[in-house]
Amino acid sequence: MSEKLQKVLANMGLGSRRGLEKWIEEGRVEVNGKTARLGDRVSDEDRIFVDGRPLTQKKQKHRYLLYNKPAEEICTRDDPDGRKTVFSRLPKLKNQRWVAVGRLDFMTTGLMLFTTDGALANKLMHPGTEIDREYACRVLGNVTDAQLEAMKEGVLLEDGMAKFTDIQKGRDEDGANQWYYVVVMEGRNREVRRLWESQGLTVSRLKRVRFGSFFIPSAVKAGQYIDLKNKDIRLLYEMADMPWPRRPAQRS
């Protein structure tokens, strides 16, 4: 049975299908000694090379992690400025690659999910897969009911309409800071901060506390991760509306 080349590469955790299609267009991928082209299909017997390195097509057990991101870490693999990256704390892999289910800003903390199943990660990040993302926000300034209502009804940002589907008041702090819990259904760049900024307010601290049905266990401190158990892995595939592979997760 053959599958599209970019799908096979994505399932190996090498990146998104769109990104891998670009690799193919750039001539970085070879199949059986020939430069691959978009539309090529491959089977288990085909030999695939990326940048001259052979890939192992044998079925590998995927892994799934929940990570508690601290502040001052970026969500890319490399940074020209030498800043810390979330990937540096994750376990090393052989013939696989961690794919982040969405990103958090440099100063934003909290829950992140990682997997080696690129197809699952891409489906969970797709705008059509509507998944609650809840954040705890410490807001500087006086917040009015009219501002809260505006953010729930929708605000036109530079990349389109955005809104909070829910806003709940949290605890107050001494001074001008107030805490709120907000929910968005997308993972757009700086969406939570930009919604508050549209009302002339500043978020001084931001933490993702929930992604769908996933919360950060109290035992997982900032900078730590845990392997997800099979019941949680099954839930991930249900959230993505994908069949569960029904194989035990691989652990280090």
Side-chain angles (χ1 to χ4, degrees):
M1 180 178 178
S2 65
E3 293 183 299
K4 287 186 177 181
L5 176 58
Q6 60 265 35
K7 179 180 179 182
V8 171
L9 296 176
N11 288 343
M12 296 173 72
L14 296 181
S16 67
R17 291 196 193 182
R18 182 172 297 178
L20 294 167
E21 287 173 357
K22 186 177 180 181
W23 286 14
I24 296 170
E25 290 175 337
E26 292 172 346
R28 296 175 58 184
V29 184
E30 294 182 357
V31 178
N32 300 327
K34 296 182 178 180
T35 302
R37 295 183 178 182
L38 281 180
D40 284 355
R41 301 180 71 88
V42 294
S43 64
D44 292 342
E45 291 75 31
D46 290 312
R47 294 177 293 114
I48 304 174
F49 294 78
V50 174
D51 295 332
R53 295 170 47 211
L55 300 180
T56 302
Q57 273 209 79
K58 66 180 182 180
K59 299 294 183 181
Q60 298 192 70
K61 294 177 181 178
H62 286 300
R63 293 189 62 180
Y64 313 81
L65 299 180
L66 184 152
Y67 178 62
N68 187 355
K69 178 188 176 296
E72 299 186 3
E73 283 188 354
I74 61 170
C75 293
T76 55
R77 297 183 188 278
D78 300 294
D79 180 55
D81 297 325
R83 293 174 295 180
K84 292 181 180 179
T85 169
V86 292
F87 293 97
S88 65
R89 295 184 186 263
L90 306 185
K92 304 303 179 185
L93 298 172
K94 184 178 181 181
N95 297 322
Q96 288 181 303
R97 179 173 175 165
W98 290 116
V99 181
V101 181
R103 298 182 177 185
L104 293 179
D105 297 335
F106 183 59
M107 293 303 298
T108 302
T109 65
L111 190 156
M112 292 191 69
L113 296 170
F114 292 86
T115 178
T116 58
D117 187 340
L120 171 65
N122 291 326
K123 187 65 182 295
L124 289 170
M125 289 185 285
H126 193 279
T129 307
E130 295 186 342
I131 298 174
D132 288 352
R133 297 156 169 86
E134 184 174 354
Y135 293 81
C137 315
R138 186 173 70 179
V139 181
L140 178 63
N142 295 318
V143 182
T144 67
D145 290 341
Q147 290 170 321
L148 296 176
E149 191 61 30
M151 290 184 289
K152 289 179 68 175
E153 289 184 0
V155 176
L156 181 59
L157 303 178
E158 59 267 28
D159 55 352
M161 293 295 295
K163 68 177 181 179
F164 294 134
T165 58
D166 188 45
I167 305 176
Q168 297 293 329
K169 185 76 166 63
R171 69 182 187 277
D172 288 331
E173 289 189 353
D174 294 334
N177 290 311
Q178 304 173 70
W179 282 92
Y180 287 87
Y181 289 87
V182 301
V183 176
V184 293
M185 301 295 290
E186 298 177 284
R188 289 153 63 179
N189 183 41
R190 296 188 71 254
E191 182 178 11
V192 173
R193 294 184 188 273
R194 288 187 292 141
L195 273 166
W196 287 105
E197 289 168 0
S198 73
Q199 305 301 306
L201 301 166
T202 301
V203 175
S204 56
R205 283 184 62 186
L206 185 62
K207 179 178 182 178
R208 183 193 282 166
V209 296
R210 180 171 63 87
F211 183 92
S213 302
F214 288 85
F215 294 84
I216 304 173
S218 58
V220 182
K221 306 305 180 184
Q224 296 180 342
Y225 65 85
I226 56 169
D227 282 278
L228 295 180
K229 297 180 180 180
N230 282 322
K231 64 177 183 179
D232 294 323
I233 295 168
R234 181 174 184 172
L235 181 58
L236 276 180
Y237 283 93
E238 289 177 352
M239 287 166 51
D241 194 24
M242 293 175 61
W244 182 37
R246 296 181 179 274
R247 290 184 298 177
Q250 178 178 319
R251 296 176 182 272
S252 56

